Amino acid sequence: MWYLIHGVDHPNSLEGRKTARPAHLARLELLRDQGRLKLAGPLPAIDAEDPGPAGFTGSVIVAEFGSLEEARAWADADPYVVAEVYARVDVRPFKPVLP
């Protein structure tokens, strides 16, 4: 089943995000290579492709896991969680409809 993972950043977490980003992306690339990643990306704090020092408010990932517990365990081990970039992470079942 597909799951939506929404990480919400702590305020002023941009430097921690930059530091943890390579490890965060490596985990996403592994899901992609396994055919289990539908989409992933950050949420800019302002209406701009590159928010600069404004940073980000969080991230969204939609990926396939065997269960909600497996999706939560994967999300809890994210480098952004370990680096305390995320203040909280919500994991919910997701049903793709379109496209």
Side-chain angles (χ1 to χ4, degrees):
M1 179 151 185
W2 294 96
Y3 295 89
L4 183 139
I5 300 168
H6 177 210
V8 178
D9 285 17
H10 280 287
N12 304 310
S13 60
L14 183 58
E15 289 309 312
R17 180 179 270 274
K18 288 178 182 177
T19 301
R21 188 171 188 260
H24 172 78
L25 290 178
R27 293 178 83 234
L28 291 171
E29 290 166 352
L30 181 59
L31 285 178
R32 179 200 61 205
D33 294 348
Q34 295 170 345
R36 297 171 48 204
L37 182 66
K38 186 162 278 298
L39 66 91
L43 303 170
I46 60 173
D47 188 14
E49 286 278 326
D50 180 358
F56 300 90
T57 61
S59 303
V60 171
I61 299 164
V62 177
E64 186 175 30
F65 294 94
S67 68
L68 180 58
E69 292 77 22
E70 183 184 330
R72 283 187 177 140
W74 186 91
D76 288 345
D78 191 284
Y80 285 170
V81 171
V82 174
E84 298 182 354
V85 171
Y86 291 154
R88 92 170 184 274
V89 179
D90 298 320
V91 181
R92 297 172 182 249
F94 179 80
K95 182 179 177 183
V97 175
L98 294 171

